[in-house]
Amino acid sequence: MLFNLPRYLPSAEELPDSDETPVDNELQELIPGLLKAILLILWSERMDWFFGVDMGIYYHPDKPPIVPDGFLSLGVERVYDEELRPSYVLWDENVIPILVLEVVSQNYRKEYSTKLDEYAALGVLYYVIYSSRRRRKPRLEVHRLVNGKYELQEGNPVWLPEINLGIGCERGNYCGVTREWMYWYDEQLKRYPTPQERIKQAEQRAEIAQQRAQQMAEQLRSLGIDPDTLD
């Protein structure tokens, strides 16, 4: 899909930054937003990755972009400048996203047909589909590109060795809503906490440390030692 490009290639600033299509389900923003929020903490010191949410991927200047709900690229600059990326232009980035995410809403948007073929032709290694509508089949599907075709991977979560992360879904709370959410996992398939969970964990650790300090002070006083006189 990147072959036969015209001689003039517009920059990201010259291309539309949206396909003007609104999301038709709030989960299409919240689920990829949560995945990105976790990465921003998990990979806070890394500057060689980018996670786009509802952002156009341009593969040809004369064709409309592909707009997944979320995508991850490795080996690219996380931040260009203070204006940030308006879109993801492949002839500028020179890196195909390694993972794309589609959140199926009430209205199917060709996630299992046209988009599947487009991502395969583009060479995206992992194609992840999440659908809360499914009842008898798994809601999460992780497809891996093998010889030009996507193969469904078993399990939840699924380990992604090229990314050194697992991806899966389970019940939890995010933005005050308790339901099934998507998360990243470590190599032991233990879920990484959300930003809100990290804050709560830090508060709990601080509370425990304060309680221990108070207990120590009381023990010293019982021995006739004033803890305020100790360095």
Side-chain angles (χ1 to χ4, degrees):
M1 296 179 73
L2 293 177
F3 298 108
N4 300 319
L5 293 176
R7 181 171 298 180
Y8 173 72
L9 296 174
S11 65
E13 289 74 17
E14 298 173 273
L15 294 166
D17 58 3
S18 171
D19 63 354
E20 305 298 334
T21 302
V23 296
D24 52 13
N25 189 310
E26 192 175 8
L27 291 177
Q28 292 171 332
E29 294 180 342
L30 290 178
I31 286 178
L34 173 56
L35 291 173
K36 182 173 184 176
I38 296 173
L39 282 184
L40 285 170
I41 295 177
L42 193 62
W43 290 349
S44 61
E45 297 184 0
R46 290 182 55 175
M47 300 301 292
D48 63 343
W49 63 277
F50 177 74
F51 193 96
V53 177
D54 193 32
M55 176 180 287
I57 300 174
Y58 282 93
Y59 61 93
H60 193 288
D62 297 330
K63 298 180 180 180
I66 304 173
V67 187
D69 292 312
F71 68 89
L72 173 66
S73 287
L74 300 179
V76 298
E77 295 183 59
R78 195 167 97 194
V79 179
Y80 277 155
D81 53 43
E82 62 184 17
E83 298 300 326
L84 305 180
R85 286 176 173 86
S87 57
Y88 192 86
V89 181
L90 288 181
W91 54 86
D92 287 339
E93 306 283 355
N94 294 313
V95 175
I96 302 292
I98 194 170
L99 178 148
V100 295
L101 167 67
E102 293 287 354
V103 179
V104 180
S105 65
Q106 295 297 320
N107 300 314
Y108 285 113
R109 299 174 300 164
K110 302 180 180 180
E111 290 90 352
Y112 298 96
S113 55
T114 303
K115 286 193 172 183
L116 187 145
D117 293 336
E118 289 178 336
Y119 293 138
L122 200 59
V124 176
L125 183 59
Y126 289 105
Y127 178 29
V128 181
I129 306 174
Y130 177 80
S131 174
S132 60
R133 298 178 58 189
R134 307 182 78 171
R135 295 294 182 265
R136 298 182 180 179
K137 295 182 179 180
R139 296 182 179 183
L140 177 69
E141 294 184 1
V142 179
H143 302 263
R144 190 179 193 279
L145 192 65
V146 179
N147 297 324
K149 299 290 184 180
Y150 280 119
E151 294 185 358
L152 181 63
Q153 307 298 292
E154 295 183 357
N156 175 33
V158 176
W159 179 247
L160 315 175
E162 297 83 358
I163 303 175
N164 199 34
L165 288 174
I167 193 168
C169 58
E170 61 181 84
R171 196 166 180 81
N173 185 281
Y174 178 58
C175 293
V177 179
T178 299
R179 68 173 315 277
E180 188 176 69
W181 295 101
M182 288 186 63
Y183 302 96
W184 299 110
Y185 295 76
D186 65 16
E187 196 166 2
Q188 286 71 46
L189 300 183
K190 180 181 178 181
R191 179 170 72 81
Y192 283 110
T194 67
Q196 292 84 353
E197 290 170 337
R198 288 180 180 272
I199 293 172
K200 186 175 181 178
Q201 290 171 357
E203 291 173 345
Q204 291 174 340
R205 288 193 295 267
E207 183 178 352
I208 292 172
Q210 184 178 12
Q211 291 174 350
R212 289 177 177 174
Q214 291 174 348
Q215 292 172 353
M216 180 64 70
E218 291 174 359
Q219 291 175 358
L220 290 173
R221 291 190 183 97
S222 68
L223 297 174
I225 302 173
D226 184 358
D228 294 332
T229 64
L230 301 177
D231 295 333

